[in-house]
Amino acid sequence: MSYNWKWFRAGRMSQVSLKCGADVAALAELDRKQWIAISMPTTGVRFDARMLELMDTDHDGRIRTPEVLAAIDFLKAKKVDFDSLFTSGEAEEKALADITAKQSDLAKLAPSAADKQALADWEAKGKDPEVAVAGDATADANAALAAVEPVVDAFFLPPEDMPLVTEEADKVLPLKDHLNPKHLEAILAFAEKCVKPVLGEKDSLTRMEWKKVKGAFAAYRAWAGAKPVMNAGKKGELDDEERVLRYKLHLVEFLENYVNMRRLYDLKELAIFQTGTLRIDAKEMNLCFHVESEAAHSALVEKSNCCVIYLKLSRPSEGATRQICAVVTAGAVAQLYVGRNGVFYDRDGKDWDAVVTKVVEAQVSLAEAFWAPWRKLGEGIASSVKKFLGDKQAAAQKNVEAGTQNAQAGGAAMASSVAAIGIGVGMVGAAAASLMAAISKMTALQIAISVVALILVVSLPSVILTWFKLRKRDLGAILNACGWAVNRPMRFSMKRARAFTICAPCRWCRVVLFAIVLLAVAGAALWYFCPCRKDCKAQEQAPACAVEAPAAPAAEATAAPAETPAN
């Protein structure tokens, strides 16, 4: 019989509710399509690092759904009461501190005779020339290889759509010249400690030579990974106790950021991927993400339909730097530009200097959409006037600089330029006078209705289109750019958007909005209570009487000639 799940609504989708131990114990029965995330990285999140290390059983830096279920099965095997996952607290924290102390003491405990013999055999094997490729410096050489391995692998990685046979020459990695300064020191150390013992002195490295160098250190890496563990039995027991305690303390929080996203949509809590709070442009943004590569991240983040700014953080006192991105979900983005400074507060309370390095623009609010057409109209008018006056000024300046040889012509040109500017000003004045004349013939009601209609015609289409765009904003796309595998779209409401980005109150916006509402109400009141409405109704009935009154004089004028005596 399937488990009777309970659901809650958040982010315009139904999410499974985890309220008791039975809900957690039955997660294996939950349809995988209902999980919000199905994979996540172990870095770039605010969570207990040791617990993530324990859950990552294959040590690949990612936690997937089977590993989450394996953690639940581990608690079942240890006969843990799952309801205790929701009530754990100080007692478990104290017990975990005791376990940590025992693990530290165990490391100082003398190994048994069998452990000593196993360690001696292991150390003897490490002196084998096949393992000790660089002699006593093999450990340092392996560290130098590990430091450059990701970038060199990426350099030699061929594209997936590359044909089997190609006319292009294979890549060759220089080991001294033409190197990115960011990796120069690491490459030089790699050439000296790894390439030289294996291949001899080299100025460059081919693809096959790179594979040979990596292969030479494969035996050492296997040997290092097989180092015997001293007091393995006792260590295993302590590790299991530590795992149980950490799961009791943190598993529910993890599941509420993986199976569902309750922590994200709860206004009182933060999700594990929210790294802190950014203050900039009279805004406070708490939807901030850790970023490894700005270029790779921004290439994917456009799919989110969100406005995202990238920032470089630094703490000069510590010499530390890092990168983040912040999602702008409310207010306006006109004043967020590359180079603008702000302050970032991480979740430990440390403050970082923040500098905007990139802006991915998108609409963020209906208020911004309302004013956008008027802002563009004002910018267009200002640009046209500036261009017109600039052209005339340039022409006049050119004629003045012609010198005394053509003074008369220059004076005429200057006069014509001034006249042209005067004509332009006169046209604007005539248009304004015509507009004022038209307005003077309108009643207060007609003026109010016209103003409201003009505002609606200009702003309403922009507001409607923006409303549809705002409903498509998806935080799941941003998490995917951060390395998560998000299973479902993660939308958010207008209310939650204002909680993600808290803006300082704007008096002028409120005044203008109040004025528009007041104008609309005044127009409606004038229409309903206007005293001239009765006069208008009387005028509709008046023409019938007005036509009959002049009929008598007309008849008298016709009859008058008949009274004149004939001669």
Side-chain angles (χ1 to χ4, degrees), residues 100-406:
T100 303
K102 291 180 180 178
Q103 288 173 327
S104 178
D105 293 339
L106 183 63
K108 302 175 184 177
L109 188 65
S112 63
D115 288 339
K116 289 181 180 179
Q117 183 60 46
L119 182 61
D121 294 342
W122 177 80
E123 290 175 345
K125 187 177 180 180
K127 297 178 181 178
D128 191 324
E130 183 181 352
V131 176
V133 180
D136 294 338
T138 304
D140 290 340
N142 182 66
L145 172 63
V148 301
E149 191 170 5
V151 293
V152 178
D153 275 338
F155 177 80
F156 283 117
L157 183 66
E160 296 180 358
D161 56 353
M162 186 176 182
L164 179 61
V165 179
T166 177
E167 296 180 359
E168 297 181 5
D170 197 7
K171 292 183 176 181
V172 176
L173 175 68
L175 297 177
K176 294 182 179 179
D177 302 322
H178 309 292
L179 291 170
N180 186 333
K182 178 180 178 181
H183 304 292
L184 177 60
E185 185 177 349
I187 292 293
L188 292 176
F190 162 72
E192 179 66 24
K193 297 179 180 180
C194 301
V195 177
K196 188 174 181 179
V198 178
L199 302 176
E201 194 74 32
K202 302 283 289 185
D203 292 333
S204 61
L205 200 67
T206 65
R207 185 189 301 272
M208 297 306 296
E209 289 172 336
W210 165 244
K211 290 184 176 180
K212 185 175 181 180
V213 171
K214 286 181 65 176
F217 284 86
Y220 172 82
R221 291 180 168 184
W223 169 80
K227 182 178 180 179
V229 178
M230 301 295 97
N231 301 304
K234 294 180 180 179
K235 185 177 185 303
E237 293 177 5
L238 291 176
D239 286 348
D240 284 352
E241 291 181 28
E242 179 193 12
R243 187 187 298 263
V244 168
L245 291 171
R246 291 192 183 275
Y247 286 178
K248 279 187 173 184
L249 288 168
H250 306 298
L251 184 60
V252 171
E253 179 186 357
F254 176 85
L255 296 176
E256 289 181 342
N257 287 276
Y258 192 96
V259 178
N260 62 35
M261 286 290 170
R262 190 190 70 80
R263 301 277 174 139
L264 173 66
Y265 293 103
D266 191 331
L267 298 176
K268 299 179 181 179
E269 299 183 82
L270 292 176
I272 61 175
F273 45 78
Q274 291 177 267
T275 58
T277 301
L278 173 68
R279 292 196 174 102
I280 189 172
D281 188 32
K283 297 179 178 67
E284 183 178 286
M285 309 174 197
N286 57 49
L287 198 56
C288 302
F289 300 81
H290 174 75
V291 173
E292 291 288 346
S293 170
E294 179 183 300
H297 194 278
S298 60
L300 296 175
V301 83
E302 292 181 359
K303 301 294 184 182
S304 68
N305 294 310
C306 295
C307 177
V308 180
I309 59 174
Y310 290 86
L311 304 105
K312 181 178 180 180
L313 307 182
S314 62
R315 278 182 63 84
S317 60
E318 299 179 1
T321 61
R322 55 187 290 199
Q323 282 186 318
I324 65 164
C325 71
V327 185
V328 188
T329 59
V333 297
Q335 298 303 316
L336 293 174
Y337 49 83
V338 174
R340 178 148 191 177
N341 295 323
V343 178
F344 176 78
Y345 297 87
D346 63 24
R347 291 176 62 173
D348 292 325
K350 295 181 179 180
D351 58 311
W352 298 68
D353 293 333
V355 181
V356 178
T357 58
K358 186 173 183 177
V359 179
V360 178
E361 295 186 359
Q363 293 281 7
V364 299
S365 67
L366 296 179
E368 183 185 36
F370 180 88
W371 294 111
W374 299 98
R375 187 179 298 110
K376 291 181 180 179
L377 180 62
E379 291 173 355
I381 294 173
S383 177
S384 299
V385 172
K386 183 178 179 181
K387 183 178 183 302
F388 175 78
L389 296 178
D391 292 343
K392 294 303 179 183
Q393 183 179 7
Q397 185 69 24
K398 183 178 179 181
N399 290 327
V400 170
E401 292 174 355
T404 58
Q405 295 180 356
N406 198 13

Side-chain angles (χ1 to χ4, degrees), residues 422-450:
I423 292 172
V425 174
M427 293 175 62
V428 173
S434 300
L435 179 61
M436 293 302 297
I439 292 175
S440 65
K441 297 178 182 179
M442 299 170 63
T443 64
L445 173 62
Q446 291 174 327
I447 294 174
I449 293 175
S450 299

Side-chain angles (χ1 to χ4, degrees), residues 497-548:
R498 290 190 294 271
F500 284 143
T501 301
I502 303 172
C503 303
C506 178
R507 290 186 57 192
W508 286 110
C509 292
R510 295 183 178 181
V511 169
V512 173
L513 182 61
F514 177 77
I516 293 173
V517 173
L518 185 62
L519 189 62
V521 172
L526 285 172
W527 172 258
Y528 186 79
F529 295 106
C530 181
C532 65
R533 292 180 63 192
K534 297 180 180 180
D535 297 337
C536 295
K537 291 182 178 179
Q539 289 177 4
E540 293 176 358
Q541 300 175 357
C545 301
V547 172
E548 294 177 0

